[in-house]
Amino acid sequence: MANDAALNSSLVFLAAVVVLVGITTYSFKKMVVTYFVGAFAIAGVLLPDWCFFDRDFSRWTSPVTEEERESYRISTGSRFRRFRIYPIRLVVYGTVYSVALYKWWQYVSS
């Protein structure tokens, strides 16, 4: 990951949420579950090699060449352009994160 600031701020926010869950529920187990759900959610968005996944699906079985990686860096430019909107990715992420958030909320609020 080229810019660690997003990861650092996400982990600080996660720590605040974990402390808040601990204060409101008085449960160490719920704090641990909150930490792991949050860590996996953050990792799912910030850590994948988008240069690899932004290629054509048929090329996923071959490694990324240095030329492809360089052209990807030049084409994206900004760090926010790195997260391009793809309908399939949006549906999969939305579904997985919605179910995980719902299950987490059910567990923490019980």
Side-chain angles (χ1 to χ4, degrees):
M1 185 171 166
N3 187 0
D4 291 335
L7 180 61
N8 289 340
S9 60
S10 298
L11 290 176
V12 168
F13 179 74
L14 176 61
V17 170
V18 169
V19 168
L20 183 66
V21 166
I23 289 172
T24 57
T25 64
Y26 299 110
S27 172
F28 181 72
K29 188 175 179 183
K30 290 180 182 181
M31 288 174 62
V32 170
V33 168
T34 300
Y35 173 76
F36 281 115
V37 168
F40 283 120
I42 291 168
V45 173
L46 295 179
L47 297 181
D49 185 9
W50 293 119
C51 179
F52 178 83
F53 291 111
D54 280 343
R55 300 182 306 163
D56 186 47
F57 180 73
S58 63
R59 301 229 343 111
W60 283 8
T61 57
S62 62
V64 179
T65 64
E66 190 57 40
E67 293 82 23
E68 288 174 327
R69 193 169 295 279
E70 187 60 34
S71 69
Y72 180 76
R73 278 188 218 125
I74 293 170
S75 68
T76 56
S78 169
R79 65 178 179 212
F80 296 112
R81 293 190 55 175
R82 175 180 125 160
F83 299 108
R84 296 181 191 152
I85 303 294
Y86 291 106
I88 302 260
R89 184 190 300 170
L90 191 62
V91 168
V92 169
Y93 268 81
T95 303
V96 169
Y97 281 69
S98 297
V99 169
L101 186 63
Y102 175 74
K103 295 289 186 180
W104 170 80
W105 181 254
Q106 289 296 319
Y107 178 73
V108 169
S109 65
S110 65

